[in-house]
Amino acid sequence: QVQLVESGGGSVQAGGSLRLSCTASEPAYRYDMGWFRQAPGKEREGVAVTYTRGGDTSVVGDVKGRFTISRDDGKSTIYLQMSSLQPEDTAMYYCAATVKYCSIAAEDWNYWGQGTQVTVS
């Protein structure tokens, strides 16, 4: 099964930016891929999706306009560019993959990375 490895998390002041990366052990073009986050005491929530078909992307929730998802299939890597970060963006950020997108709900995604922590103060 595909292995996913995230990187790029860290601590940043409010208003700052970070770029997360997620590299897959198999060709990424086989998968719809996404970013999720989970804050302490909260459920894991979808943030953004990049689809295999047509290069379409989707960003959901209150990160619209601040976060951008992209993919480089040549590197089997997806990215999450995060700007204008706020303390409420503090969470563990996870990369996920699925062979066929069904929904943004976490339970519909098959493969997960270990996560990378983002802390905004």
Side-chain angles (χ1 to χ4, degrees):
Q1 66 183 38
V2 63
Q3 305 293 321
L4 304 172
V5 179
E6 304 98 333
S7 62
S11 297
V12 64
Q13 291 187 338
S17 299
L18 282 174
R19 189 178 79 156
L20 307 183
S21 300
C22 170
T23 300
S25 61
E26 297 181 10
Y29 68 80
R30 298 177 181 175
Y31 301 93
D32 294 320
M33 298 184 70
W35 288 99
F36 293 73
R37 67 183 182 182
Q38 188 168 18
K42 294 188 177 181
E43 293 187 355
R44 192 170 297 188
E45 63 174 355
V47 173
V49 179
T50 171
Y51 305 95
T52 58
R53 57 193 180 280
D56 290 344
T57 64
S58 176
V59 179
V60 300
D62 59 5
V63 303
K64 282 184 177 180
R66 299 190 297 121
F67 290 10
T68 302
I69 188 170
S70 61
R71 67 191 296 157
D72 183 340
D73 285 339
K75 297 181 179 179
S76 292
T77 299
I78 68 168
Y79 305 95
L80 186 68
Q81 178 66 49
M82 305 184 294
S83 303
S84 301
L85 284 162
Q86 300 301 316
E88 52 266 34
D89 295 316
T90 295
M92 184 72 78
Y93 283 72
Y94 296 91
C95 175
T98 182
V99 173
K100 184 176 181 180
Y101 176 83
C102 179
S103 81
I104 194 66
E107 57 263 31
D108 288 333
W109 291 71
N110 308 110
Y111 308 105
W112 293 88
Q114 293 300 307
T116 185
Q117 178 68 39
V118 172
T119 302
V120 185
S121 60

